[in-house]
Structure formats: structure tokens, C-alpha cells
Amino acid sequence: MKIAILPGDGIGPEIVAQAQRVIDVLRDEGLAVTTETAPVGGAGVDAAGDPLPEATLALAGTADAILMGAVGGPKYDTLPREKRPEQGLLRLRKALGLFANLRPAILYPELAAASSLKPEIVSGLDIVIVRELTGDIYFGQPRGRRKNAAGEDEGFDTMHYSVPEIERIARVGFATARQRGRKLCSVDKANVLDTSILWRETVTRLAAEYPDVTLSHMYVDNAAMQLVRNPKQFDVIVTGNMFGDILSDEASMLAGSIGMLPSASLDANQKGLYEPIHGSAPDLAGQDKANPLATILSLAMLFRHSAARPDVAERIERAVHRVLAQGHRTGDIALPGERTMGTRAMGDAVVAALREAR
Ligand code: NAD
């Protein structure tokens, strides 16, 4: 398989370099994988005057999967909107039709003290939020500003989902649950919104095709509450774009540091863009301080979803778990007084654990 590597800006190149070392180990062992690197975001602007240079888009189009670092930084904050680094990412998602965003929130027991919740509530947490990424009120038309009947200024947006849009994201939810604990919770607001009533009907109808998955439904306000009350009750959550935006950020905080959390954005054929959920951390860039584990775990997701190699994914995840169990910590996941290590040393530890876990 061919992986397009887009390091991006800030800490992006440093953290992606550690994931690249993991790929190198696997390739040395005989895994048939090639990589090609291209600039995106601010690096794309610097190299070709465009946050998504044509050559980068072409590479992403021909690759089987894309591994990205992060984009953005103060140097690019004053650029016109179309040249801003995040436009490169948005255009890439759109061009590749990446409609399904998978965000696992995993809390390794070793890091339970880093969460803002009590360790017994979150220790061992392992959930996935499947968020629809290309529809809903964020893209619905009409939208805008107008005068209402009383002559007052008002803003308005339109929430809508078609049955095919709901079906395809629900199928990703069912399939994800099937690979894990076989429990799917569909989150909506069907007590208030017509869009959600259709959502619930459609997801319920599809459940007949997945008899091995237990489907439940929850209103979004309750889901927000349950995620902090008893998050371990969930296995996989599937939801629309706006609800998923909010719930996935909430869930990521349960897991302590954002330096630990990977994500995947998939198209209809399991091709995907894999990236850590955090940004380019300009405050850490170039200092060998960033945590590379979210990026390495994103690579594990790549092998699970785009390469159909769950064995390789699990091996990488086991290696990460092992380095945590051995007490290795970057600054973001260390408790006060704990010894910390740099980005490259954490990469060394993962590579060593990976070799041992062969
Ligand atoms: P950020 O995620 O970059 O940083 C937030 C905080 O978390 C910072 O204190 C940072 O040091 C820390 N942090 C982030 N990743 C870390 C890691 N791997 N290890 C240790 N600590 C880490 O968010 P921000 O500061 O709001 O944004 C910085 C830049 O990143 C902005 O230009 C923003 O637009 C961009 N951004 C990009 C993406 C993306 O590429 N998908 C996502 C979010 C933000």
C-alpha cells in the first residue's frame, strides 16, 4: 500500500517523523508499504503558495491512505482566508469525500490520574465516536442573515440530512461496533427535531442488517451528561456533524491529554485521512517536546481501517501501551515530579517495544 505523508506545520514534522520510524520497522520486516511526503498547510504556502498544492492533492488522490501531522501557526494567521493553512485540510477532506470521522477516546489505566474525572470513572475508558462530517446544519442551505417580519436582524441556518447520508454514516457506526464491543448508541434530538426523527427511523431500520450489534438511542443532552457521569457505558456512538463536534471534544477531555488521541476521516471505500486530534502546538515546535503517540496511534488506525490489517494496528497499540506501562512520559502526560522525555526518545521507546512485541 502507498501512504501519503503530510507533516504540515509546527510540531507536525517532529511527530510524523516518529510515526515514519514505526512504518520503517514494519517495512524492514517485510510489510509491503511505501510512503511519499508532501507539504500541506503553511508548509504548502511556503513551498507552492497554496495550503493544498496541486501535487499534494494529486498524491493524496493516488495514495491508499494519508497520514497527517497538523497545520497552522502564527506565521500564517494574517494570510487571506483562502491561503490559511486550515483551508488546505478542509479542501482535502472535501476533495476526497471524507464523510465519516472516527474519534476514539481511550484512557490507558496508567494515565488515569491525568484525566479531569475521578480515576475509577475513566480508567480503562475505550469508546469511539463516529461523527458525520460533511452534512447537517454546518453545510445546510439556505443560511444567512435577513430582516424578520418585525424588521429585526436575524441569522438562520438549516439542519438537514437525507436518508442516504444517514444510512452511510450509520453503516460506519454499525461496522465499527461490530469490530469492537458490538454496542452502538445513536445520538439525536428526536424529541424536538424533524431531522432527528428521520435519523432515528433510518438507523433503527438498518439495525435489522446487524443483528449482532445492540442498538440504543439517546438524546444529545443526555449523552453529554452520560459522557461525564458514566462514560464506560458506551462502546460506539454514532451521531450527526454538530452533535458529534461537541461530544467528541467532550470525550477527548475524559482521556486527559490531547497528545494521546488519534482520529480517522474515511470515505465510502475505507480510504482515509489519519491525524492526531491536536493542532500544530507552535509553543512546542522545534523543541523535541511534543508527544508523538497520538500520531503513532493514528497510524495504527490507518492499518485497521484502510489496510484491513487489524493485527498490525493492535501490535502498534500494544507497543504504545507498553511504553506507558514502562513509565515513559512526555511532558503533557507526566504528573508533577515525574521524569519526562522528548519526542524522539518516545519514538525510540515505541520502536523498541514494537520490535519486542513481534
Ligand atoms: P493545539 O492543539 O496546537 O495546542 C493546544 C495545547 O495542547 C498547547 O498547549 C499545546 O502545547 C498542547 N499540545 C498539542 N499537541 C500536543 C502534543 N502532541 N504533545 C504535547 N502537547 C500538545 O491547539 P491551538 O494552540 O489552539 O492551535 C495551534 C495551531 O494549530 C493553530 O494554528 C490552529 O489553527 C492549529 N490547529 C490545527 C489542527 C489540525 O491540523 N487538525 C487542529 C487544531 C488546531
Side-chain angles (χ1 to χ4, degrees):
M1 80 175 308
K2 177 164 143 191
I3 302 177
I5 303 225
L6 313 182
D9 309 316
I11 60 170
E14 297 168 63
I15 52 179
V16 161
Q18 304 314 314
Q20 175 82 57
R21 294 175 65 201
V22 170
I23 297 173
D24 292 344
V25 170
L26 297 167
R27 190 173 29 209
D28 289 349
E29 289 175 3
L31 194 72
V33 49
T34 60
T35 60
E36 199 176 324
T37 302
V40 73
V45 174
D46 289 344
D50 185 346
L52 183 61
E54 233 168 81
T56 302
L57 179 59
L59 170 66
T62 56
D64 301 298
I66 299 136
L67 181 69
M68 215 189 77
V71 296
K75 179 176 164 196
Y76 310 103
D77 281 350
T78 50
L79 290 175
R81 199 174 128 94
E82 68 281 4
K83 297 261 181 198
R84 298 281 301 260
E86 58 272 26
Q87 288 302 316
L89 180 55
L90 293 176
R91 277 166 50 202
L92 190 58
R93 282 184 182 152
K94 196 169 162 107
L96 298 179
L98 305 175
F99 70 91
N101 185 230
L102 270 60
R103 291 236 319 227
I106 293 174
L107 184 59
Y108 297 95
E110 292 81 1
L111 299 182
S115 171
S116 54
L117 293 194
K118 292 191 195 112
E120 64 270 25
I121 305 276
V122 285
S123 181
L125 177 75
D126 181 358
I127 66 179
V128 177
I129 298 191
V130 177
R131 165 189 171 194
E132 202 286 330
L133 207 53
T134 55
D136 205 355
I137 195 164
Y138 292 174
F139 295 94
Q141 295 289 344
R143 63 189 293 169
R145 290 166 70 144
R146 63 188 171 200
K147 294 260 183 231
N148 66 16
E152 298 152 339
D153 288 324
E154 67 175 17
F156 63 101
D157 299 274
T158 306
M159 173 179 272
H160 62 72
Y161 266 122
S162 67
V163 167
E165 281 176 311
I166 302 169
E167 283 179 347
R168 69 177 185 173
I169 192 70
R171 286 188 192 288
V172 176
F174 281 111
T176 306
R178 199 167 243 182
Q179 290 170 6
R180 299 171 34 97
R182 298 176 185 264
K183 269 169 52 183
L184 179 66
C185 179
S186 170
V187 169
D188 62 38
K189 190 72 183 167
N191 51 343
V192 177
L193 298 171
D194 283 322
T195 311
S196 280
I197 294 171
L198 182 67
W199 176 283
R200 192 174 280 219
E201 278 171 18
T202 307
V203 176
T204 304
R205 174 168 49 74
L206 282 191
E209 296 175 33
Y210 302 86
D212 51 330
V213 175
T214 305
L215 173 67
S216 62
H217 301 276
M218 197 178 274
Y219 298 136
V220 62
D221 42 346
N222 187 24
M225 187 174 73
Q226 295 299 331
L227 269 175
V228 286
R229 194 185 74 86
N230 177 18
K232 285 192 267 185
Q233 72 185 280
F234 297 109
D235 176 24
V236 179
I237 289 174
V238 64
T239 190
N241 201 347
M242 180 164 66
F243 300 155
D245 188 3
I246 299 164
L247 294 181
S248 60
D249 266 20
E250 185 188 358
S252 66
M253 273 322 293
L254 302 175
S257 169
I258 58 176
M260 289 299 304
L261 295 176
S263 78
S265 302
L266 305 178
D267 76 359
N269 303 309
Q270 295 294 110
K271 175 166 170 168
L273 172 84
Y274 299 82
E275 55 177 328
I277 69 158
H278 59 71
S280 58
D283 52 327
L284 302 181
Q287 300 172 47
D288 192 42
K289 282 187 178 161
N291 185 347
L293 295 180
T295 313
I296 291 171
L297 291 168
S298 298
L299 178 67
M301 289 189 85
L302 183 156
F303 280 110
R304 176 170 291 115
H305 296 284
S306 289
R309 287 297 301 264
D311 55 324
V312 177
E314 279 162 26
R315 185 167 156 215
I316 297 171
E317 288 161 354
R318 272 201 311 277
V320 168
H321 194 171
R322 194 177 174 125
V323 301
L324 294 173
Q326 288 166 340
H328 298 303
R329 302 283 185 272
T330 42
D332 58 309
I333 51 174
L335 295 175
E338 268 185 330
R339 216 160 62 101
T340 62
M341 67 204 309
T343 310
R344 169 126 197 133
M346 184 57 102
D348 291 342
V350 173
V351 163
L354 194 70
R355 289 211 169 99
E356 281 164 30
R358 195 178 176 180

Short mmCIF file of all heavy atoms in Angstrom, two decimals, residues 174 177 182-188 199-200 203-204 207 213-219 222-223 233-239:
data_model
loop_
_atom_site.label_atom_id
_atom_site.label_comp_id
_atom_site.label_asym_id
_atom_site.label_seq_id
_atom_site.Cartn_x
_atom_site.Cartn_y
_atom_site.Cartn_z
N PHE A 174 -22.31 0.94 12.67
CA PHE A 174 -22.56 -0.49 12.91
C PHE A 174 -21.29 -1.32 12.67
O PHE A 174 -20.95 -2.21 13.45
CB PHE A 174 -23.69 -1.01 12.01
CG PHE A 174 -25.07 -0.66 12.49
CD1 PHE A 174 -25.86 0.26 11.80
CD2 PHE A 174 -25.61 -1.26 13.64
CE1 PHE A 174 -27.14 0.58 12.25
CE2 PHE A 174 -26.88 -0.94 14.09
CZ PHE A 174 -27.66 -0.02 13.39
N ALA A 177 -18.84 -0.86 15.49
CA ALA A 177 -19.29 -1.58 16.69
C ALA A 177 -19.02 -3.08 16.54
O ALA A 177 -18.62 -3.77 17.48
CB ALA A 177 -20.77 -1.32 16.94
N ARG A 182 -19.66 -4.45 20.02
CA ARG A 182 -20.99 -4.75 19.43
C ARG A 182 -22.13 -3.97 20.07
O ARG A 182 -23.26 -4.46 20.13
CB ARG A 182 -21.28 -6.25 19.50
CG ARG A 182 -20.28 -7.04 18.69
CD ARG A 182 -20.47 -8.52 18.81
NE ARG A 182 -19.39 -9.19 18.11
CZ ARG A 182 -19.48 -9.63 16.86
NH1 ARG A 182 -20.58 -9.49 16.17
NH2 ARG A 182 -18.44 -10.20 16.28
N LYS A 183 -21.82 -2.77 20.55
CA LYS A 183 -22.87 -1.90 21.09
C LYS A 183 -22.80 -0.56 20.36
O LYS A 183 -21.74 0.06 20.32
CB LYS A 183 -22.63 -1.65 22.59
CG LYS A 183 -23.32 -2.66 23.50
CD LYS A 183 -22.84 -2.53 24.94
CE LYS A 183 -22.92 -1.12 25.47
NZ LYS A 183 -22.37 -1.00 26.86
N LEU A 184 -23.93 -0.15 19.79
CA LEU A 184 -23.96 1.14 19.09
C LEU A 184 -25.03 2.02 19.71
O LEU A 184 -26.18 1.62 19.85
CB LEU A 184 -24.27 0.92 17.60
CG LEU A 184 -24.34 2.20 16.75
CD1 LEU A 184 -22.97 2.88 16.67
CD2 LEU A 184 -24.84 1.89 15.34
N CYS A 185 -24.65 3.23 20.10
CA CYS A 185 -25.62 4.20 20.62
C CYS A 185 -25.74 5.33 19.60
O CYS A 185 -24.76 6.01 19.30
CB CYS A 185 -25.15 4.74 21.98
SG CYS A 185 -26.30 5.95 22.65
N SER A 186 -26.94 5.51 19.06
CA SER A 186 -27.19 6.59 18.11
C SER A 186 -27.70 7.80 18.88
O SER A 186 -28.66 7.70 19.65
CB SER A 186 -28.21 6.12 17.08
OG SER A 186 -28.62 7.22 16.29
N VAL A 187 -27.04 8.94 18.67
CA VAL A 187 -27.38 10.14 19.44
C VAL A 187 -28.08 11.14 18.53
O VAL A 187 -27.62 11.45 17.43
CB VAL A 187 -26.10 10.75 20.06
CG1 VAL A 187 -26.38 12.14 20.62
CG2 VAL A 187 -25.55 9.83 21.14
N ASP A 188 -29.23 11.64 19.00
CA ASP A 188 -30.01 12.60 18.21
C ASP A 188 -30.79 13.52 19.13
O ASP A 188 -30.56 13.54 20.34
CB ASP A 188 -30.96 11.83 17.26
CG ASP A 188 -31.96 10.96 18.02
OD1 ASP A 188 -32.45 11.37 19.09
OD2 ASP A 188 -32.25 9.84 17.54
N TRP A 199 -33.56 10.58 11.25
CA TRP A 199 -32.29 9.94 11.63
C TRP A 199 -32.58 8.67 12.42
O TRP A 199 -32.06 7.59 12.12
CB TRP A 199 -31.45 10.93 12.46
CG TRP A 199 -30.17 10.38 13.00
CD1 TRP A 199 -30.03 9.54 14.08
CD2 TRP A 199 -28.85 10.59 12.49
NE1 TRP A 199 -28.71 9.24 14.29
CE2 TRP A 199 -27.96 9.86 13.32
CE3 TRP A 199 -28.33 11.33 11.43
CZ2 TRP A 199 -26.58 9.87 13.12
CZ3 TRP A 199 -26.96 11.33 11.23
CH2 TRP A 199 -26.10 10.60 12.06
N ARG A 200 -33.44 8.79 13.44
CA ARG A 200 -33.70 7.66 14.33
C ARG A 200 -34.41 6.53 13.57
O ARG A 200 -34.06 5.35 13.72
CB ARG A 200 -34.54 8.12 15.54
CG ARG A 200 -34.59 7.09 16.63
CD ARG A 200 -35.30 7.60 17.88
NE ARG A 200 -34.46 8.44 18.72
CZ ARG A 200 -34.46 8.40 20.06
NH1 ARG A 200 -35.26 7.57 20.71
NH2 ARG A 200 -33.69 9.21 20.76
N VAL A 203 -31.77 4.79 11.25
CA VAL A 203 -30.80 3.96 11.97
C VAL A 203 -31.49 2.70 12.50
O VAL A 203 -30.95 1.58 12.41
CB VAL A 203 -30.14 4.77 13.12
CG1 VAL A 203 -29.19 3.87 13.93
CG2 VAL A 203 -29.38 5.97 12.57
N THR A 204 -32.71 2.86 12.99
CA THR A 204 -33.47 1.71 13.54
C THR A 204 -33.73 0.68 12.44
O THR A 204 -33.58 -0.52 12.64
CB THR A 204 -34.80 2.20 14.14
OG1 THR A 204 -34.51 3.19 15.13
CG2 THR A 204 -35.58 1.07 14.77
N ALA A 207 -30.73 -1.44 11.61
CA ALA A 207 -30.30 -2.35 12.69
C ALA A 207 -30.63 -3.80 12.35
O ALA A 207 -29.91 -4.72 12.77
CB ALA A 207 -30.93 -1.95 14.01
N VAL A 213 -25.27 -6.56 16.56
CA VAL A 213 -24.95 -5.30 17.24
C VAL A 213 -26.20 -4.82 18.00
O VAL A 213 -27.29 -4.79 17.44
CB VAL A 213 -24.52 -4.21 16.22
CG1 VAL A 213 -24.29 -2.86 16.92
CG2 VAL A 213 -23.25 -4.64 15.48
N THR A 214 -26.02 -4.48 19.26
CA THR A 214 -27.14 -3.97 20.06
C THR A 214 -27.21 -2.45 19.87
O THR A 214 -26.27 -1.73 20.20
CB THR A 214 -26.91 -4.28 21.56
OG1 THR A 214 -26.71 -5.68 21.67
CG2 THR A 214 -28.11 -3.85 22.39
N LEU A 215 -28.35 -2.01 19.33
CA LEU A 215 -28.54 -0.57 19.07
C LEU A 215 -29.34 0.07 20.19
O LEU A 215 -30.36 -0.47 20.64
CB LEU A 215 -29.28 -0.39 17.74
CG LEU A 215 -29.69 1.05 17.40
CD1 LEU A 215 -28.47 1.92 17.13
CD2 LEU A 215 -30.65 1.07 16.20
N SER A 216 -28.90 1.24 20.64
CA SER A 216 -29.71 2.05 21.55
C SER A 216 -29.74 3.48 21.01
O SER A 216 -28.97 3.83 20.10
CB SER A 216 -29.11 2.03 22.96
OG SER A 216 -27.81 2.59 22.94
N HIS A 217 -30.66 4.27 21.55
CA HIS A 217 -30.77 5.68 21.13
C HIS A 217 -30.68 6.56 22.36
O HIS A 217 -31.12 6.17 23.44
CB HIS A 217 -32.12 5.93 20.46
CG HIS A 217 -32.36 5.09 19.25
ND1 HIS A 217 -31.89 5.43 18.00
CD2 HIS A 217 -32.98 3.91 19.11
CE1 HIS A 217 -32.23 4.49 17.13
NE2 HIS A 217 -32.91 3.54 17.78
N MET A 218 -30.12 7.75 22.18
CA MET A 218 -30.04 8.67 23.31
C MET A 218 -30.17 10.10 22.79
O MET A 218 -29.65 10.42 21.72
CB MET A 218 -28.68 8.48 24.02
CG MET A 218 -28.62 9.05 25.41
SD MET A 218 -27.01 8.73 26.20
CE MET A 218 -27.24 7.11 26.90
N TYR A 219 -30.88 10.95 23.55
CA TYR A 219 -30.92 12.36 23.19
C TYR A 219 -29.57 13.00 23.50
O TYR A 219 -28.89 12.62 24.46
CB TYR A 219 -32.03 13.08 23.96
CG TYR A 219 -33.42 12.56 23.66
CD1 TYR A 219 -34.34 12.34 24.68
CD2 TYR A 219 -33.80 12.28 22.35
CE1 TYR A 219 -35.60 11.86 24.41
CE2 TYR A 219 -35.06 11.79 22.07
CZ TYR A 219 -35.96 11.58 23.10
OH TYR A 219 -37.21 11.09 22.83
N ASN A 222 -28.77 14.29 27.03
CA ASN A 222 -28.48 13.20 27.96
C ASN A 222 -27.10 12.60 27.69
O ASN A 222 -26.34 12.30 28.61
CB ASN A 222 -29.58 12.13 27.85
CG ASN A 222 -29.44 11.05 28.91
OD1 ASN A 222 -28.85 11.30 29.97
ND2 ASN A 222 -29.94 9.87 28.64
N ALA A 223 -26.76 12.46 26.39
CA ALA A 223 -25.45 11.88 26.03
C ALA A 223 -24.31 12.73 26.60
O ALA A 223 -23.33 12.21 27.11
CB ALA A 223 -25.32 11.75 24.52
N GLN A 233 -20.12 3.25 29.91
CA GLN A 233 -21.32 2.55 29.43
C GLN A 233 -21.35 2.48 27.90
O GLN A 233 -22.08 1.69 27.33
CB GLN A 233 -22.59 3.26 29.92
CG GLN A 233 -22.86 4.61 29.22
CD GLN A 233 -24.04 5.36 29.78
OE1 GLN A 233 -25.17 5.05 29.44
NE2 GLN A 233 -23.78 6.34 30.63
N PHE A 234 -20.55 3.36 27.23
CA PHE A 234 -20.59 3.41 25.77
C PHE A 234 -19.53 2.51 25.15
O PHE A 234 -18.47 2.30 25.74
CB PHE A 234 -20.36 4.85 25.28
CG PHE A 234 -21.41 5.83 25.71
CD1 PHE A 234 -21.13 6.81 26.66
CD2 PHE A 234 -22.68 5.78 25.15
CE1 PHE A 234 -22.10 7.72 27.05
CE2 PHE A 234 -23.65 6.69 25.53
CZ PHE A 234 -23.36 7.66 26.49
N ASP A 235 -19.85 2.05 23.93
CA ASP A 235 -18.86 1.37 23.11
C ASP A 235 -18.62 2.25 21.88
O ASP A 235 -17.59 2.91 21.76
CB ASP A 235 -19.39 -0.03 22.74
CG ASP A 235 -18.46 -0.78 21.79
OD1 ASP A 235 -17.27 -0.46 21.78
OD2 ASP A 235 -18.94 -1.67 21.07
N VAL A 236 -19.62 2.32 20.98
CA VAL A 236 -19.53 3.21 19.82
C VAL A 236 -20.74 4.14 19.84
O VAL A 236 -21.87 3.69 20.07
CB VAL A 236 -19.51 2.41 18.50
CG1 VAL A 236 -19.45 3.34 17.30
CG2 VAL A 236 -18.33 1.44 18.49
N ILE A 237 -20.49 5.41 19.59
CA ILE A 237 -21.56 6.40 19.46
C ILE A 237 -21.56 6.86 18.00
O ILE A 237 -20.51 7.16 17.44
CB ILE A 237 -21.30 7.63 20.37
CG1 ILE A 237 -21.49 7.25 21.85
CG2 ILE A 237 -22.19 8.80 20.00
CD1 ILE A 237 -21.11 8.36 22.84
N VAL A 238 -22.75 6.90 17.38
CA VAL A 238 -22.84 7.47 16.02
C VAL A 238 -23.77 8.67 16.09
O VAL A 238 -24.83 8.62 16.71
CB VAL A 238 -23.31 6.43 14.97
CG1 VAL A 238 -24.73 5.94 15.23
CG2 VAL A 238 -23.20 7.00 13.56
N THR A 239 -23.35 9.76 15.44
CA THR A 239 -24.17 10.96 15.52
C THR A 239 -23.87 11.91 14.37
O THR A 239 -22.94 11.69 13.59
CB THR A 239 -23.98 11.64 16.90
OG1 THR A 239 -24.94 12.68 17.07
CG2 THR A 239 -22.58 12.23 17.05
#
